[in-house]
Amino acid sequence: MASAMELLGRSFAPGHAAAAPRRGGGPCFAAVGREGSGAHRRRSSSSSSLRSTAPVDALAERVVAPPERAEAVPPEPSVAARAVVTVRRSRKRDAKCRVAERLDACADWVGRSVLLELISTETDPRKGGPKKSRRSALVGWFGEKDVKAERVVYTADFNVDGSFGEPGAVAVLNRHQREFFVESIVVEGFPSGPAHFTCYSWVQPTRVHRDPRVFFTNKPYLPAQTPPGLRELRRLELSDLRGEGAGTGGERRTTDRVWEYDVYNDLGNPDMGAEFARPILGGDQQLPYPRRMRTGRPKTFTDDRAESRVEYPEPIYVSRDEEFEEGKNEMLSEGALKALLHNFMPLLVSSVSPDFRDFAGFHDVDNLFKEGLRLKQALQDQLFQKIPFVRKVQENSEGLLRYDTPDIIKRDKFAWLRDDEFARQALAGINPVNIERLQAFPPMSKLDPAVYGPPESAITEEHIIGRLDGMSVQQALEDNRLYMLDYHDIFLPFLDRINAQDGRKAYGTRTLFFLTGAGTLKPIAIELRLPPMTDGCARAKRVLTPPADATSNWLWQLAKAHVCSNDAGVHQLINHWLRTHACMEPFIIAAHRQMSAMHPIFKLLKPHMRYTLKINALARQILINGDGVIESGFTPGRYCMEMSSFAYRELWRLDQEGLPADLIRRGMAVEDPTKPHGLRLLIEDYPYATDGLLLWSAITRWCGAYVATYYPSDESVQADTELQSWYTEAVQTGHADKRGAPWWPRLTTPGDLASLLTTLLWLTSAQHAALNFGQYPLGGYIPNRPPLMRRLVPAEGDPEHAHLVADPHRFFLSALPGLTQATTFMTVIDTLSTHSADEQYLGERPDEAWTADPAALAAEREFADEVRRAEEEIGRRNTDAGRRNRCGAGVLPYELMAPTSGPGITCRGVPNSVTI
């Protein structure tokens, strides 16, 4: 395959020398020949470099060419142009980095400089390829070597023929030893005005990648509208990103920019033993899964289908530009010591003293937030004698050993015990997307009755009739007053295996709620279901109702804890990880493989793809891997990812992932064209839905206006080869295990495209934010939302029932995660709930030159204004006393859909993309 190197010509070959450097003091400055004149010009060393604070306009300089000899047809005057290149440097550079920078600066001074070449949108009729400038050295690297600024500006000067046309691309050849990060390039001096090239990308040295790096103009072009001079470059760039060049197979290097697919075959490590092996997800109709980014690592010795693992903190491959930027890495580094201490001390204490493996009482849980981990004097002395490091930690890290108080207990320490708060969190908690309206009674299972028994729920009218405010069950159904959390079918197929694990106990659960006249929910029954073959009929199917005495109160609390544990597992494994992380990855990979950076839809999607593949790769290393955080912290244990695969096979449908479709599917809303969003919510005070519809509508209008700018007809959508290839590949390859499903949305009209984009933007921004950034504020108090349960609910006559009656507090806490399990989980969700300082929020786009299209920029400004108005409305709703699910005594406001946030754990903020 021809490479970009071949197209750009031999003049850019790494071995081809640049013009001789200027002798004497100061940095080198390449002499640049004028096209057609043979003349040369030089600049003084005082003007050879400019810092980032200098205005771009001041860098432009028009040089008038000397008059040529009179001819019959006067030639067009030459154009003197200047490229202004903004390079971002690391804020924190160690000694090794500083030495390497100085070596590059010295090499630059003696002629091993960075070379730039301008490429026209027009073709050269004599050569057939695009018109190109002569190469020009980037000036100022040596002179700026001691600059402390984060951003440094360098320049390169060009003199091209007047018929050159408009610059459409810039080729950058890095002849230094180290990569550097280019933010932007602005080329001035052409009659067409400044040409902007938005880069935000690493440029590798020629010792790593010999070809020049090509950056395209910020002008959007559909494939058929690509200027002649850029067509072949556009094709070659996509070919390189797909890894189609010679020698691009095998294991990927961290410097590569190649996007390919693979199955989830790196979650286990069979070479360490059978207990460390995990099933391969994807490529199997029994264990289907979306595809991930391919790394090309060697296979394991034990299983030639499984890929060898790279353990954290060793880097795992993602395309170079998908790596975290410095601000994100700083956020993660700042939390590293805190995470180390929060995990190390409980583990150390529990290993030395078995008495500390469980919480003895609720005061032990509370002390994690008040005083940190308190040790008895005898245990302190024992630890200090054996491990002197512990004394240093205990004396110097008091603040680090304390956990931040979760929001859920800041306003009302005991709210979590109340039934109304348990129900409220189904509408305004961290997982508000599973509540559904009960449309038939009794609830029915969809599992095979030959395997799992009768499909009817064990909940009968007698269980609930006295809790319906005088209504019959049929009246409550018809009046839309009965709702349900149904975790029966997702858990029941796995219960035998889950409950066989040490310290793991679970049920298939159904919880019924009644909608009160005040617009709040109250729980009226909880069904606890074990597999049909479970010994003892009383244990296999149980229904608990709100308590009438002290013992039934603690049984009810345990039943609610099991519901919360199931809810936590479904939230993390399915709603959060599967739906907003894993299922989006194929669309991101396909976008980079099939759509040029010049494509207007790629430009729209770009901020919504930021960091996602990197965070997904890290998840495979430490979160969803065998014996990782998810397996260790959630009840399903080693079967967590098999449950996620089961949900993908049985439940996931892209056509139902948009907010309105999801609300209608769950029976929480009905279509109503008279309402502002075309929907009527059946629970009016449903904070997730009401706030979500504000952002959904804003995204809908933004995508509709943007699509209309470029696609005036159905034919224009169907004729866009890159667009169609993107969607086809995302479905056929990225979601290959479901490619034959009949429900995939079509992509034949502008309306189809706008709808698809709206769904993708919703999932990566608002939906992910609603499911992620409240994890610690709402789930950091373990008794409120235990991710793992270790005991079943004892029935009268069981030996454990006597233990419950004798010491209910201790029994309840012994059913929850132990000390080490709890603190490890708290540490992880603390990090997952944290915004970094470089977060980019919905309606914000820091790069103002992301497109040169005025219509697109105008539509974006309107979108940003609508997002701001939504934020103001959310603020008003949180002070409305009539909205009892978000306002009241001790009630937390619902801010997870509030678009902006500061850094840290704020329980609000909607980033553009899945960044954590």
Side-chain angles (χ1 to χ4, degrees):
M1 184 203 76
S3 67
M5 183 71 173
E6 294 169 344
L7 183 68
L8 293 173
R10 297 173 62 87
S11 65
F12 236 147
H16 192 95
R22 184 165 64 96
R23 300 299 179 187
C28 77
F29 182 69
V32 181
R34 282 198 181 95
E35 298 277 348
S37 69
H40 298 279
R41 67 183 177 91
R42 299 180 183 270
R43 295 188 184 274
S44 67
S45 60
S46 63
S47 64
S48 64
S49 63
L50 288 157
R51 285 169 170 56
S52 59
T53 54
V56 171
D57 289 345
L59 297 172
E61 180 178 346
R62 190 70 60 86
V63 177
V64 179
E68 302 287 346
R69 181 178 300 174
E71 296 179 8
V73 180
E76 296 186 48
S78 61
V79 174
R82 171 173 286 185
V84 181
V85 181
T86 302
V87 173
R88 184 196 300 169
R89 289 180 174 178
S90 174
R91 290 194 293 269
K92 296 180 180 179
R93 304 193 291 275
D94 57 20
K96 182 179 178 181
C97 180
R98 289 194 294 270
V99 169
E101 286 180 350
R102 286 189 170 272
L103 290 175
D104 273 344
C106 292
D108 189 274
W109 186 74
V110 298
R112 293 292 298 174
S113 52
V114 176
L115 302 179
L116 269 67
E117 184 177 50
L118 303 183
I119 302 169
S120 174
T121 57
E122 301 178 7
T123 56
D124 187 332
R126 294 172 300 169
K127 300 179 181 179
K131 296 178 180 178
K132 298 175 293 185
S133 71
R134 293 184 181 179
R135 68 188 186 278
S136 178
L138 203 61
V139 176
W141 212 281
F142 183 85
E144 301 288 352
K145 65 182 182 301
D146 296 320
V147 170
K148 306 297 183 184
E150 181 181 0
R151 289 171 176 81
V152 183
V153 172
Y154 305 103
T155 62
D157 293 301
F158 302 88
N159 201 319
V160 299
D161 189 88
S163 62
F164 182 84
E166 180 182 345
V170 177
V172 182
L173 191 71
N174 177 10
R175 300 195 300 172
H176 292 171
Q177 289 299 302
R178 301 175 70 251
E179 65 179 6
F180 59 84
F181 189 84
V182 182
E183 281 197 353
S184 65
I185 301 172
V186 180
V187 178
E188 296 201 352
F190 284 89
S192 55
H196 294 266
F197 301 82
T198 302
C199 306
Y200 286 94
S201 184
W202 293 94
V203 178
Q204 299 300 321
T206 52
R207 66 179 179 83
V208 175
H209 291 297
R210 66 187 301 269
D211 293 354
R213 179 67 191 281
V214 176
F215 295 104
F216 292 105
T217 176
N218 68 341
K219 289 188 175 181
Y221 294 109
L222 294 174
Q225 299 167 348
T226 309
L230 303 181
R231 288 173 188 164
E232 184 64 5
L233 276 178
R234 182 171 186 153
R235 185 190 69 80
L236 290 173
E237 171 77 350
L238 288 174
S239 176
D240 289 343
L241 292 174
R242 290 193 289 266
E244 294 173 352
T248 57
E251 184 172 359
R252 291 285 160 229
R253 300 176 296 175
T254 56
T255 55
D256 287 346
R257 292 174 60 246
V258 176
W259 304 74
E260 297 165 307
Y261 300 94
D262 208 342
V263 296
Y264 280 72
N265 60 352
D266 63 344
L267 301 181
N269 190 348
D271 289 345
M272 292 179 63
E275 67 272 23
F276 296 98
R278 293 295 182 271
I280 294 171
L281 305 183
D284 184 335
Q285 289 305 309
Q286 293 305 309
L287 291 171
Y289 220 60
R291 299 303 188 258
R292 62 165 175 93
M293 172 79 99
R294 176 184 175 273
T295 67
R297 296 193 304 271
K299 304 301 183 184
T300 62
F301 295 108
T302 309
D303 185 348
D304 61 6
R305 299 173 306 150
E307 190 173 81
S308 58
R309 286 187 52 76
V310 175
E311 302 296 345
Y312 185 82
E314 290 299 315
I316 185 171
Y317 174 75
V318 292
S319 179
R320 181 65 183 96
D321 291 337
E322 299 307 300
E323 291 284 348
F324 292 149
E325 294 180 18
E326 195 169 15
K328 188 74 170 181
N329 281 322
E330 285 176 357
M331 181 274 286
L332 295 174
S333 297
E334 287 168 3
L337 176 60
K338 186 165 103 174
L340 174 65
L341 294 177
H342 279 170
N343 287 328
F344 171 75
M345 287 301 289
L347 181 63
L348 181 63
V349 171
S350 63
S351 65
V352 174
S353 174
D355 293 340
F356 276 76
R357 291 177 183 172
D358 289 330
F359 295 107
F362 286 100
H363 58 278
D364 285 347
V365 182
D366 296 340
N367 281 340
L368 292 176
F369 313 113
K370 291 180 180 179
E371 302 171 3
L373 193 65
R374 297 188 66 190
L375 310 182
K376 293 178 181 179
Q377 188 61 47
L379 181 57
Q380 288 189 40
D381 294 341
Q382 182 183 357
L383 287 173
F384 294 166
Q385 282 181 349
K386 294 183 176 180
I387 311 174
F389 167 70
V390 175
R391 179 184 297 275
K392 185 176 181 181
V393 169
Q394 189 75 3
E395 290 175 352
N396 298 333
S397 307
E398 182 180 355
L400 291 174
L401 287 174
R402 278 202 306 266
Y403 292 81
D404 295 329
T405 302
D407 291 5
I408 197 67
I409 58 171
K410 280 183 179 178
R411 295 194 176 197
D412 186 344
K413 181 178 176 181
F414 302 106
W416 66 276
L417 286 165
R418 299 197 315 264
D419 284 357
D420 64 286
E421 177 62 17
F422 169 72
R424 188 192 71 83
Q425 291 184 35
L427 298 172
I430 190 55
N431 188 40
V433 298
N434 274 99
I435 188 75
E436 60 182 289
R437 179 167 56 92
L438 187 64
Q439 302 185 49
F441 189 86
M444 301 287 285
S445 170
K446 296 179 181 178
L447 298 175
D448 184 355
V451 178
Y452 299 103
E456 295 85 5
S457 168
I459 302 174
T460 65
E461 289 197 24
E462 288 72 19
H463 287 118
I464 64 174
I465 190 65
R467 306 179 189 279
L468 304 181
D469 291 357
M471 299 176 117
S472 68
V473 172
Q474 187 60 35
Q475 287 174 326
L477 286 173
E478 293 173 355
D479 206 27
N480 301 321
R481 303 289 286 276
L482 290 176
Y483 294 83
M484 176 174 61
L485 283 177
D486 189 353
Y487 300 130
H488 178 276
D489 287 7
I490 189 67
F491 271 86
L492 196 60
F494 297 91
L495 285 183
D496 281 330
R497 288 179 286 169
I498 291 173
N499 291 340
Q501 299 176 103
D502 185 38
R504 311 288 172 123
K505 292 292 180 275
Y507 295 97
T509 62
R510 293 188 183 100
T511 308
L512 295 192
F513 301 89
F514 179 73
L515 180 63
T516 70
T520 58
L521 293 176
K522 66 177 182 180
I524 56 176
I526 296 175
E527 178 183 4
L528 304 176
R529 180 76 182 271
L530 292 172
M533 301 305 293
T534 302
D535 293 337
C537 183
R539 292 177 65 88
K541 266 189 182 182
R542 298 178 64 189
V543 176
L544 284 79
T545 55
D549 56 41
T551 301
S552 62
N553 177 70
W554 283 104
L555 294 173
W556 178 247
Q557 294 296 342
L558 282 168
K560 289 196 299 182
H562 271 280
V563 173
C564 289
S565 177
N566 284 1
D567 187 76
V570 169
H571 160 257
Q572 197 68 269
L573 297 169
I574 300 170
N575 297 330
H576 180 206
W577 164 254
L578 174 66
R579 295 172 65 186
T580 68
H581 282 258
C583 286
M584 292 300 99
E585 185 158 344
F587 289 96
I588 296 172
I589 296 173
H592 287 84
R593 286 169 53 86
Q594 299 296 343
M595 286 196 290
S596 166
M598 291 185 286
H599 198 291
I601 301 305
F602 186 90
K603 289 179 176 293
L604 174 73
L605 290 173
K606 188 173 183 179
H608 302 281
M609 302 187 289
R610 183 177 186 242
Y611 289 162
T612 302
L613 266 65
K614 177 63 176 180
I615 202 66
N616 286 4
L618 285 175
R620 300 202 313 274
Q621 282 189 297
I622 60 177
L623 293 179
I624 65 171
N625 59 300
D627 207 30
V629 170
I630 300 299
E631 282 194 7
S632 301
F634 290 84
T635 302
R638 65 179 292 140
Y639 306 106
C640 281
M641 291 306 292
E642 289 185 54
M643 285 185 64
S644 186
S645 171
F646 177 83
Y648 178 67
R649 186 184 74 198
E650 300 295 331
L651 303 175
W652 187 83
R653 294 178 48 162
L654 182 62
D655 64 326
Q656 294 183 348
E657 287 296 285
L659 179 59
D662 178 58
L663 292 171
I664 292 171
R665 177 186 64 83
R666 292 188 282 122
M668 301 301 292
V670 294
E671 293 184 12
D672 187 342
T674 67
K675 296 296 181 181
H677 308 288
L679 291 178
R680 178 170 60 86
L681 291 173
L682 300 181
I683 299 179
E684 293 184 7
D685 184 19
Y686 182 5
Y688 160 80
T690 56
D691 292 0
L693 285 169
L694 292 176
L695 299 185
W696 172 269
S697 295
I699 296 170
T700 298
R701 280 188 278 273
W702 159 230
C703 290
Y706 190 86
V707 167
T709 303
Y710 301 101
Y711 298 95
S713 65
D714 296 356
E715 291 73 21
S716 60
V717 173
Q718 297 163 21
D720 187 337
T721 54
E722 289 183 4
L723 179 74
Q724 294 295 332
S725 296
W726 162 62
Y727 185 57
T728 299
E729 182 176 282
V731 174
Q732 297 293 321
T733 305
H735 286 277
D737 300 328
K738 296 180 82 78
R739 62 184 170 218
W743 43 256
W744 283 104
R746 298 190 308 168
L747 186 57
T748 57
T749 70
D752 294 341
L753 176 57
S755 177
L756 173 63
L757 294 171
T758 299
T759 298
L760 296 179
L761 267 61
W762 161 259
L763 290 169
T764 58
S765 59
Q767 179 80 329
H768 177 261
L771 296 169
N772 184 74
F773 291 103
Q775 290 192 76
Y776 188 83
L778 304 181
Y781 186 69
I782 297 299
N784 172 63
R785 188 177 171 78
L788 179 151
M789 294 297 288
R790 296 186 290 163
R791 292 181 184 269
L792 295 173
V793 180
E796 192 169 354
D798 291 344
E800 288 193 338
H801 191 272
H803 297 160
L804 170 69
V805 173
D807 192 345
H809 283 214
R810 197 176 189 97
F811 186 92
F812 179 83
L813 289 171
S814 72
L816 272 54
L819 173 66
T820 304
Q821 291 170 321
T823 52
T824 300
F825 175 76
M826 291 162 62
T827 299
V828 171
I829 62 173
D830 178 289
T831 301
L832 294 179
S833 303
T834 301
H835 289 292
S836 59
D838 70 341
E839 206 86 88
Q840 298 173 8
Y841 294 98
L842 192 67
E844 299 178 355
R845 196 146 183 176
D847 176 23
E848 296 180 357
W850 66 274
T851 182
D853 188 338
L857 291 171
E860 182 201 27
R861 287 191 293 271
E862 177 54 39
F863 173 56
D865 290 342
E866 189 165 0
V867 170
R868 281 192 291 269
R869 291 192 294 270
E871 184 161 26
E872 293 169 358
E873 175 60 23
I874 290 170
R876 285 191 291 269
R877 290 173 177 179
N878 283 324
T879 61
D880 182 354
R883 298 176 183 267
R884 301 188 186 189
N885 289 317
R886 65 195 306 162
C887 185
V891 176
L892 290 177
Y894 187 77
E895 296 183 307
L896 287 169
M897 293 282 190
T900 61
S901 171
I905 300 175
T906 63
C907 204
R908 60 175 291 145
V910 179
N912 280 321
S913 60
V914 178
T915 60
I916 191 71

